[in-house]
Amino acid sequence: MPAALPAPFDHWFAARGWSVRAHQLAILESAANNRDALLIAPTGAGKTLAGFLPSLIDLAQPRRRNSPGARLHTLYISPLKALAVDIHRNLEIPIAEMALPIRVETRTGDTSAQKRMRQRRNPPDMLLTTPEQLALLLGTADGPHLFGDLKRIVLDELHALSLSKRGDLLALCLARLRTLAPGARTTGLSATVREPDDLRRWLVGRGPLADVVIAPPGAPPDLSILHSRAEIPWAGHMARHALEEIYEQISGARLSLVFVNTRAQAEFVFQQLWLMNEKNLPIALHHGSLDAAQRRKVEAAMASGKLRAVVCTSTLDLGIDWGDVDLVVNVGAPKGASRLLQRIGRANHRLDEPSRAILAPSNRFEVLECVAAVEAARKGEQDTAAPRAGALDVLAQHVLGTACGAPFDADDLFAEVTSAAPYAHLSRATFDRVVDFVATGGYALAAYDRFAKIKRTKDGLWRVANARVAQIWRMNVGTIVESDVLKVRLTGGRTASESGKQYQGRIGRGGRILGEIEEYFLETLAPGDTFLFGGEILALNGIVENEAHVRRAAGEAPKVPSYAGGKFPLSTYLAARVRAMLSDPKSWKALPEQVRGWLELQRKRSVLPGRNNLLVETFPRGGLFYLVAYPFEGRLAHQTLGMLLTRRLERARLLPLGFVCNDYSLCVYGRADLGGVDMDALFARDMLGDDLEAWLQESALMKRTFRNCAIIAGMIERRGPGREKTGRQVTVSTDLIYDTLRRHQPDHILLEAAWADAASGLLDIQRLSDMLARVAGHISHRALDRVSPLAVPAMLEIGREAVFGEARELSLHMAAEDLAKEAQ
Amino acid sequence: MRLMNRPLHRDAFAADETLVVAGLALVADVAGVLYEPASGALLVADLHLEKGSSFARRGMMLPPYDTQATLTRLSSAVARYRPRAVVALGDSFHDNDGANRLSGDARALLNALQAGRDWIWISGNHDPAIPDHAGGARAQEMRLGPLTLRHEPRAQAHGEIAGHLHPVAVLGGRRRAFVTDGNRLLMPAFGAYAGGLNLHAPAIAGLFAARPFAHVLGRERVYRVCVSRCAAGV
């Protein structure tokens, strides 16, 4: 044993019937050696306690107790405020039982102004908070006083935080803390990741990598795929066919978490489970657009053992142990091996027993994906994303925040910022442009010098111009930008254009609310346009105040692909595994008979996609012509590809009508036969040049990306004194600003930031670019006389599965039957 | 109805929409200006010059290119019609101090636009007092044949052309539009940063007795669209 517990702690462990674990001692040893450390441990391994043990032991020593004016000793940062509150509750147990003289407090958005004030004047020994609250504390004049004595920093769920803009903000705050409290040591707590060294670097400044402590994995998970007795659907994400079997599984377990990927799935699965709930099992629902109070109620009911199942989205992916979960059901495909492992970890917090998880694929492609994910999970393989370059909009927010705390020297701040891993490669020139942006907007035209937000003093320091600038910064701290949403109300009726009357929104005003949808998306629709929402095809009647009025549009093909939010694209790693499986019939043994038959048929009728090529099929059907490609690069990259292909075909006068896609394939349809098209030219990588450029000028997704950057960077304020806290109050149209800026200063730093976001975010351009490079010269085109078996799922996206109404269900089922027959 | 026969300008109008308000023929230009051939007057509304710097004063550093963009677009419209007079229908500057913040380049552009023609600033709620150095004449409202030109539209007005409300048609995206029922007309906002109000909003829809038409600004031409084809709402 490298380190030992002090006697009171030893007794406390013993009294609980626990023995201290090797990784907990290893963290103590790192602390004793004054080293930063990364602890990678599965859920249930006592990870949080390990993170806090050095602090508890240090604070238990009487000399500190008697030192006057003791300041903050330990800072704990969690991505969720609920997690901070939960950890507080758990920490109070050892503190009370060992009668330790330690004061622990939380600080979140809910903390009263009075308490916040007191915390700054008279801080507790340990403060548990979130990245945004830390940024706010660092942006006050109290920062040096508050953090000057800081000894330990504990970062929880680091794997979830580090790869986002919130992670960039936290990395910058951490760099600030290292300046204010050079003696503080950082401990990161993380689930298993692909490259621990990335996080070890992330945790420290320029110093040597943090120690890494890897706790032994728990018992291997008990993983299985639910092979339903019913026919496996060709497309769709609702897993309706498997719900009865899922219900049986729930009935046999103590407490199940039923994970789904989208809000719409959550609503649907929840509703369906209750329809078949003959045993009246207490089943609850948990997702991000539910009211917070409602979510708290569900969490409390879980914790007190009142529930048997919770249908949830990724809102329960993270951290809190709400109850004695013994089964995880993942509806649909997990999209990534690491995500699956984390979800599995939610079941069974006793390390020595295997976590039990069942994957329920909702369609045929998802069967392939689930098989690939289970193989990866059994081997413990990870596909967490690679580290990202720090976002420039976040840096701009931080630069202003730093000035709000105290005047800064640009050289010092540059050194500090580049000590944060995400900004290690930031050039001085870019940093200076960011500072210039913060000061006067960063324009070639020096128009705003007299309105500067930060100004250079005589001694060369940058100082915030006035108290109002600081106040507005405080009101706008953070990197999470909500989009404006409208309620979707089912009012029935017909559109204005059909009835020849102006739609006034009075028809059936009392109709059912179907949910909420992003305003940016609705603004791309004209009345009468059809779109997908909640698994239904809806037609827009009109927008009335804050509501979109819609009717059901059974049987019509949705014109516009739905940019359903909250869905993760298939990871590159799983995609490669799926391609490998497809191209190797020997590996099909693991697949259910139906899926094997489907692939056999594809082999006979067309050809299977290979490991490294791109299969493109063209065929006529029902008077239209189709092109289906199988890149397996995820929905976002496919959307971008679809937009670009449609543009190209339009220019070539090949009359495309539209496109649809899923995670695996995309389908372009139109009025001209595409069989004779030169596919190498169509898929040539130069589409990412002028075509992309031209599309981006118009792209609503790009404008939305720009809006996020403009808000985070502080060009546009979400909140100001006396203004309401809604996005709608953004008083200038970011679309108009985007257009003007593109035209007049295309190299502006915010456009650069937006482009970087788009490349990896909503447009996934980087992934598309990698794919096009990979398949160049390896396009395998099959001109077929009819639809191929593998093409059916994408084709069905055109008229996706019904959720409400049996007649719709039947008609679509028939349509699917037809397609499947044609594909024979 | 083709009203303009001056051969030099004929092509310029091919893509534009001719409309009649209170008996007077007008050309709705794709740039968002209105030309009255009989008198040679060009009407433009809600330029909102210096809106960017107006926000910058309060800490939102919007790109300072809006004035230049707006005046450049206006220059090309003026070059197309060579009007005898330009009437700006109010809110020409985003705030009363806007004219004082014009850059040298913007001033030069404005001077060039004003040279050799009448220039009338009708005052708007954003710019009730435009300083003398901005050139041109000032008016609360003015007559143009049977028409009254003013900034804020009045209820039950006949033969009125006004701005102020920034109508947009939502037709697969938000597009600026003229709105007219043949009796009165609302101008689209011209300024680069001028936002828009859906033409179904009560403030706009309530002005028209008869069902109005939207003359929607497309990329290359103006489209005459029945307002019932436009989405309602925000």
Side-chain angles (χ1 to χ4, degrees), chain A residues 367-673:
Chain A
V367 171
L368 300 176
E369 190 186 327
C370 285
V371 170
V374 164
E375 281 171 13
R378 284 194 183 130
K379 290 183 184 158
E381 289 185 30
Q382 301 285 340
D383 55 0
T384 39
R388 52 199 295 283
L392 297 177
D393 51 350
V394 178
L395 179 59
Q397 190 183 97
H398 179 73
V399 166
L400 183 55
T402 304
C404 291
F408 69 81
D409 174 83
D411 294 344
D412 292 348
L413 186 59
F414 176 68
E416 183 183 293
V417 161
T418 49
S419 78
Y423 296 92
H425 301 293
L426 180 76
S427 74
R428 179 59 194 254
T430 305
F431 174 79
D432 288 341
R433 282 170 69 209
V434 170
V435 173
D436 183 39
F437 166 84
V438 173
T440 58
Y443 300 112
L445 196 65
Y448 295 155
D449 286 353
R450 71 209 124 131
F451 310 130
K453 289 202 263 194
I454 54 174
K455 291 179 173 166
R456 234 171 150 166
T457 57
K458 280 189 219 91
D459 47 0
L461 299 182
W462 288 92
R463 180 185 294 276
V464 69
N466 55 57
R468 193 177 172 276
V469 169
Q471 185 193 9
I472 290 173
W473 172 80
R474 280 196 296 275
M475 296 179 79
N476 288 280
V477 163
T479 60
I480 300 167
V481 179
E482 284 112 22
S483 44
D484 298 337
V485 294
L486 297 181
K487 285 197 165 63
V488 179
R489 190 187 287 277
L490 187 67
T491 54
R494 305 191 311 163
T495 57
S497 54
E498 285 167 346
S499 62
K501 280 188 200 150
Q502 186 180 346
Y503 181 71
Q504 297 287 8
R506 301 201 183 91
I507 313 160
R509 189 70 200 264
R512 186 155 65 98
I513 296 277
L514 297 178
E516 287 179 337
I517 196 163
E518 284 81 359
E519 187 178 335
Y520 76 89
F521 175 69
L522 279 173
E523 289 210 334
T524 63
L525 302 180
D529 274 1
T530 49
F531 63 103
L532 291 170
F533 182 78
E536 277 203 288
I537 301 166
L538 302 174
L540 181 68
N541 289 339
I543 300 172
V544 179
E545 285 151 30
N546 287 338
E547 294 182 352
H549 289 191
V550 299
R551 64 187 160 83
R552 294 209 169 100
E556 293 177 33
K559 268 191 202 156
V560 186
S562 154
Y563 298 109
K567 211 175 150 190
F568 317 97
L570 175 66
S571 81
T572 311
Y573 169 82
L574 273 193
R577 268 186 167 269
V578 171
R579 275 199 306 266
M581 195 186 331
L582 275 174
S583 63
D584 175 21
K586 285 196 291 293
S587 68
W588 298 355
K589 287 191 298 289
L591 302 174
E593 177 58 42
Q594 291 179 51
V595 176
R596 245 182 1 241
W598 175 50
L599 298 182
E600 290 291 357
L601 201 59
Q602 170 72 12
R603 189 151 65 150
K604 212 160 66 191
R605 292 267 302 104
S606 175
V607 67
L608 286 159
R611 256 172 205 267
N612 286 308
N613 70 355
L614 175 67
L615 172 62
V616 180
E617 296 170 334
T618 51
F619 49 84
R621 180 175 189 267
L624 292 181
F625 295 91
Y626 294 81
L627 178 155
V628 180
Y630 305 87
F632 294 91
E633 294 296 345
R635 194 177 40 91
L636 299 176
H638 290 175
Q639 264 171 22
T640 302
L641 178 60
M643 292 284 185
L644 295 175
L645 288 179
T646 324
R647 261 189 111 84
R648 271 201 169 163
L649 292 170
E650 240 162 39
R651 217 177 37 227
R653 311 227 177 277
L654 287 165
L655 313 173
L657 290 171
F659 75 92
V660 286
C661 58
N662 55 33
D663 266 335
Y664 320 97
S665 56
L666 85 159
C667 165
V668 183
Y669 49 98
R671 295 194 200 287
D673 186 359

